[in-house]
């Protein structure tokens, strides 16, 4: 494994029990499992943006949730900043958890409706930097809300008072307030209409520069991935079928599924 990689993933696998409803008659439920992620290996160097693209159900969210340790893989290895991330515990786990943050697809569901926006953005600081003074915590939250384009008046308001695009900005502020090394964004714009979605993508470009972010950007949309990524992984049925620098993959795709994705992008007729 290389020295410079921020994140190194080896042979990651996750299966789920198949519910009885989808089983053919006569099959025993206990013996049926479906592979959601089927042996995925890749690494991300500091400063890179890895786009992961693939159709619905191919395993993108399952992979993202394993990377941030929301769910445990069946097998495989993840090294983050040189640490054995899947075996980290105690103080090491707490320290590393703050260094990887996730931006969710559905900004509404991922936000606590009864919490004011200020408290919501302060919360990760309260958990991970408990010695920070309250005033400093508030200042950091206000600063971060400003960085994502929301005014100081948003601190005292509730999530339902914001539009979908603004709510995604809140989600991004919450993910960035700890100044993480790695941000995993799972379909950050698919719940938004196209023009609002492109504003969020532009914001991510700005923030990536400002905070020297390393990003994993997950989307079913090749144009979304192509807009931001330095590298791309094409995922199909739980596996990476093609990986490489974005220009290389777009210009000379090696796998038929990649070719199909590229062919499916509508050309703009003026
Ligand atoms: N908790 C779970 N229990 C059972 N099956 C699951 C669970 N989570 C995911 N799956 C299954 O694993 C497969 C991959 O799902 P996943 O959500 O990772 O796909 P995805 O690529 O994120 O799809 P989408 O683009 O629709 O978000 C699917 O077949 C899904 O039904
Ligand atoms: Mg998903």
């Amino acid at each position: 494994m290389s020295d410079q990689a921020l994140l190194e993933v080896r042979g990651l696998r996750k299966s789920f029990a198949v519910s009885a409803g989808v089983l053919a008659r006569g099959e025993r439920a206990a013996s049926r499992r479906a592979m959601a992620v089927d042996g995925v290996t890749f690494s991300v160097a500091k400063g890179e943006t890895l786009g992961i693209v693939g159709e619905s159900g191919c395993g993108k969210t399952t992979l993202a949730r394993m990377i941030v340790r929301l769910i445990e893989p069946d097998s495989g290895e993840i090294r983050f900043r040189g640490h054995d991330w899947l075996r980290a515990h105690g103080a090491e786990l707490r320290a590393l958890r703050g260094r990887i943050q996730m931006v969710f697809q559905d900004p509404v569901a991922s936000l606590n409706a009864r919490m004011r926006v200020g408290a919501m953005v302060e919360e990760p600081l309260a958990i991970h930097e408990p010695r920070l003074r309250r005033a400093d915590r508030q200042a950091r939250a206000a600063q971060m809300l400003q960085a994502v384009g929301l005014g100081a008046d948003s601190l005292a308001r509730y999530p339902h008072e914001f539009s979908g695009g603004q709510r995604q900005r809140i989600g991004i502020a919450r993910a960035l307030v700890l100044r993480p090394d790695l941000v995993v964004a799972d379909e950050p714009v698919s719940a938004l209409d196209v023009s609002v979605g492109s504003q969020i993508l532009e914001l991510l470009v700005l923030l990536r520069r400002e905070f020297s972010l390393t990003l994993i950007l997950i989307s079913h949309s090749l144009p979304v991935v192509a807009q931001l990524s330095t590298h791309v992984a094409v995922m199909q049925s739980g596996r990476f079928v093609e990986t490489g620098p974005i220009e290389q993959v777009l210009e000379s795709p090696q796998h038929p599924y990649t070719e199909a994705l590229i062919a499916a992008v509508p050309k703009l007729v003026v």
Side-chain angles (χ1 to χ4, degrees), residues 61 105 186-187:
T61 295
Q105 168 169 12
D186 184 14
E187 301 275 12

Side-chain angles (χ1 to χ4, degrees), residues 132-268:
L132 208 60
R133 290 191 359 247
R134 185 147 180 262
D136 294 335
R137 209 163 63 212
Q138 287 171 338
R140 291 259 299 267
Q143 239 171 31
M144 195 49 71
L145 281 165
Q146 194 178 23
V148 301
L150 295 173
D153 60 320
S154 54
L155 284 163
R157 291 162 64 191
Y158 291 93
H160 72 262
E161 299 174 53
F162 293 85
S163 70
Q166 288 171 327
R167 282 198 283 247
Q168 192 52 290
R169 287 172 194 267
I170 299 166
I172 292 169
R174 194 176 140 91
L176 295 190
V177 74
L178 292 171
R179 305 290 175 91
D181 300 302
L182 178 67
V183 172
V184 181
D186 184 14
E187 301 275 12
V189 300
S190 63
L192 307 171
D193 69 43
V194 175
S195 63
V196 176
S198 37
Q199 287 165 16
I200 295 293
L201 294 177
E202 279 163 25
L203 173 68
L204 285 174
V205 171
L206 281 178
L207 295 172
R208 175 171 64 183
R209 195 176 325 135
E210 191 173 342
F211 298 109
S212 312
L213 288 180
T214 305
L215 261 178
I216 295 179
L217 174 70
I218 295 174
S219 177
H220 63 277
S221 159
L222 184 60
V224 164
V225 158
Q227 197 176 327
L228 253 75
S229 305
T230 57
H231 294 72
V232 64
V234 179
M235 192 168 186
Q236 185 184 33
S237 307
R239 296 172 194 222
F240 281 4
V241 295
E242 179 156 8
T243 54
I246 185 78
E247 305 83 16
Q248 183 189 310
V249 170
L250 291 180
E251 276 160 32
S252 53
Q254 300 298 303
H255 194 277
Y257 181 61
T258 314
E259 287 175 359
L261 282 180
I262 294 169
V265 176
K267 300 278 180 296
L268 199 62

Side-chain angles (χ1 to χ4, degrees), residues 16-17 35-36 54-63 105 186-187 220:
F16 292 107
M35 272 292 176
E55 67 195 3
S56 181
C58 73
K60 304 182 297 295
T61 295
T62 305
L63 177 60
Q105 168 169 12
D186 184 14
E187 301 275 12
H220 63 277

